[in-house]
Amino acid sequence: MTARAGLGADERLAVRAVATVLPFRVNGYVIDELIDWDAAPDDPIYRLVFPQADMLPRADVARIADLLRADAPRKELNAAANEVRARLNPHPAGQMDLNVPRIGADDPLEGMQHKYAETVLFFPKQGQTCHAYCTYCFRWAQFVGEPDLKFASDDIEHLVRYLRAHPEVTSVLLTGGDPMIMGEGVISRYIEPLLEVDTLESIRIGTKSLAYWPQRFTSDPDADDTLRLFERVVDSGKNLAFMAHFSHPNEMAPELVQRAVRRIQGTGAVIRTQAPLIRTINDDPATWESMWRTHVRHGMVPYYMFVERDTGPQDYFAVPLARAYEVFRDAYSRVSGLARTVRGPSMSATPGKVCVNGVTEIAGEKVFVLSFIQARDPELVGIPFFAKYDEKAAWLFDLEPALGATRFPYEEQPPADPSPLVDSAHL
């Protein structure tokens, strides 16, 4: 396929080197229906799924390319790839240490994360892959075949017991990977027991399937059974939130996608849309304006514009926060109120979801205006705080406090022993 994109032999080898470190997967639907091969390698969907030769540091790419050229043993190749992966922050935002819930002090619950009091994330074991992989994926570590980097569980009863013990949890997000890679017979075994938890108000499914495999809801053998499962969730009195990842308006162009959207909506599920802002793929206001307007036209709810996380090839894909805010503001100003449900640009960082609300000048100092949409400490939600304006900053931890402050609100008076804070937040 890289030859079809017009790449030379050396470029193709460099792409293979990148794909040795980061996961790569694509399917026939994406290749045949979404990519404009006349525009490749600059086509946004091509860049969305095919690794780029310069996504990783040049020295790392050259080293692995040399190993590939020499037909090095698989063990040696994997060792070199793992060295690179270890430098790519495979689990950002405290996922492995702060977010994993525990029974007692030493018994972590596998395949679960509990960062915010109201919401638990569950990673079903059979859903830890996708129909195709996005090059920017912040959960790339799930897909590289290293067990120590992977979240997964098939113990739904463990989740149910945890929910009953924590009635403050009102929402469960099934995530991955992509839960919709699972057949109806499997996914129903995870969802059906949740319908018996009275304190649970909503079930969310985080998925890219509408963009990468809409047949899942139209013509796959279990498409109708899957939709009936969705109906049972709604009939149980719970909200079924279908969290659809659309990175570019071209993913909505096929009529098949629009038909899949209508079928899901017919079950009573609500489709909310989200994506990160990614350099070279969707980093201009017109793209987001088109995407949000298309989603509203088809009855979906724009939900989030994310900032690319501090993991994997962030340096390649990240858009500086100042530019991210410009893109968001310009697109937001061009859509109707129905699309202004969207929030962003939002960073899912260690202390919580931090939104860049604006750039302004206070007492002669140019600052970013920030606030938490969600936070480990719920007392911080919605309260503005300020950071020095930095046109190169691309992540929360690139910023410095402004207006004479010496630390950000989430850094106030850190405890000597953080374990009580972790327990009280049900992380």
Side-chain angles (χ1 to χ4, degrees):
M1 287 299 150
T2 52
R4 186 175 176 182
L7 302 185
D10 288 344
E11 290 177 295
R12 294 200 300 272
L13 182 62
V15 168
R16 281 184 60 202
V18 173
T20 302
V21 176
L22 298 171
F24 167 65
R25 185 180 190 185
V26 70
N27 62 27
Y29 173 81
V30 174
I31 289 171
D32 295 335
E33 302 296 332
L34 297 184
I35 295 175
D36 179 358
W37 287 100
D38 290 335
D42 296 325
D43 174 74
I45 307 302
Y46 177 87
R47 298 186 68 83
L48 179 61
V49 295
F50 278 85
Q52 310 300 310
D54 53 348
M55 277 171 53
L56 296 175
R58 183 177 300 178
D60 291 334
V61 174
R63 177 190 176 194
I64 294 176
D66 287 344
L67 292 173
L68 290 170
R69 190 181 291 109
D71 198 21
R74 173 57 58 181
K75 184 177 181 179
E76 184 178 354
L77 196 59
N78 285 344
N82 284 337
E83 286 182 21
V84 179
R85 290 167 185 152
R87 297 196 298 269
L88 296 177
N89 190 21
H91 281 301
Q95 293 184 83
M96 292 295 283
D97 45 9
L98 298 181
N99 295 358
V100 178
R102 298 174 184 272
I103 297 176
D106 301 313
D107 190 6
L109 300 178
E110 293 185 358
M112 293 171 56
Q113 292 184 21
H114 194 176
K115 183 174 181 178
Y116 309 124
E118 304 85 1
T119 306
V120 162
L121 277 63
F122 187 78
F123 296 73
K125 183 177 181 179
Q126 299 90 335
Q128 299 315 303
T129 186
C130 299
H131 295 96
Y133 294 149
C134 298
T135 45
Y136 62 71
C137 183
F138 83 92
R139 289 215 175 107
W140 60 271
Q142 292 285 93
F143 315 131
V144 294
E146 293 297 322
D148 290 344
L149 297 181
K150 192 169 186 175
F151 277 101
S153 174
D154 59 1
D155 192 347
I156 188 63
E157 291 305 320
H158 219 160
L159 171 61
V160 169
R161 288 196 297 273
Y162 184 79
L163 295 175
R164 294 193 190 282
H166 293 272
E168 74 277 9
V169 178
T170 58
S171 183
V172 167
L173 169 61
L174 300 180
T175 186
D178 192 328
M180 295 316 306
I181 202 83
M182 298 186 290
E184 183 276 333
V186 178
I187 195 171
S188 64
R189 295 207 298 270
Y190 289 102
I191 288 181
E192 293 277 9
L194 300 179
L195 304 186
E196 304 303 317
V197 181
D198 292 338
T199 52
L200 200 61
E201 298 170 0
S202 65
I203 297 171
R204 309 184 214 177
I205 300 174
T207 181
K208 185 79 177 177
S209 55
L210 272 173
Y212 283 168
W213 193 253
Q215 297 93 318
R216 181 68 186 80
F217 311 100
T218 59
S219 58
D220 274 8
D222 61 346
D224 290 346
D225 290 338
T226 299
L227 296 175
R228 283 192 284 269
L229 171 64
F230 292 176
E231 289 175 346
R232 291 198 295 276
V233 175
V234 176
D235 289 346
S236 75
K238 301 187 189 304
N239 175 271
L240 178 59
F242 201 85
M243 316 305 291
H245 290 244
F246 286 106
S247 307
H248 196 276
N250 290 0
E251 295 171 318
M252 276 295 298
E255 194 280 331
L256 182 60
V257 181
Q258 299 164 28
R259 182 150 51 95
V261 166
R262 291 193 297 271
R263 297 200 82 199
I264 293 169
Q265 291 168 334
T267 68
V270 177
I271 303 176
R272 300 180 187 273
T273 64
Q274 56 190 21
L277 177 65
I278 301 297
R279 190 178 70 83
T280 77
I281 293 174
N282 60 18
D283 55 336
D284 68 276
T287 298
W288 287 87
E289 175 194 356
S290 174
M291 192 154 56
W292 293 336
R293 291 176 67 176
T294 300
H295 295 165
V296 168
R297 183 179 303 117
H298 293 284
M300 297 183 285
V301 182
Y303 188 55
Y304 268 121
M305 173 198 278
F306 291 115
V307 174
E308 171 68 351
R309 284 197 180 186
D310 56 337
T311 182
Q314 185 207 22
D315 291 344
Y316 183 81
F317 286 120
V319 176
L321 298 177
R323 174 59 182 162
Y325 174 69
E326 290 177 356
V327 171
F328 179 87
R329 181 199 60 204
D330 290 352
Y332 191 85
S333 69
R334 301 174 191 171
V335 297
S336 76
L338 292 176
R340 293 184 183 177
T341 51
V342 69
R343 294 174 289 182
S346 170
M347 294 174 277
S348 291
T350 303
K353 283 188 173 68
V354 178
C355 189
V356 181
N357 294 320
V359 176
T360 191
E361 187 172 302
I362 301 176
E365 183 177 351
K366 192 173 184 179
V367 297
F368 287 113
V369 183
L370 309 167
S371 67
F372 281 97
I373 298 172
Q374 271 279 28
R376 294 184 188 277
D377 178 1
E379 295 298 319
L380 296 175
V381 172
I383 299 176
F385 63 101
F386 306 95
K388 294 178 180 179
Y389 180 81
D390 181 347
E391 65 180 11
K392 295 182 179 179
W395 192 247
L396 179 65
F397 303 141
D398 297 335
L399 299 175
E400 297 180 8
L403 306 175
T406 58
R407 56 169 64 100
F408 290 116
Y410 58 86
E411 298 172 320
E412 293 289 344
Q413 299 176 347
D417 177 8
S419 59
L421 176 62
V422 172
D423 290 341
S424 66
H426 307 298
L427 300 176

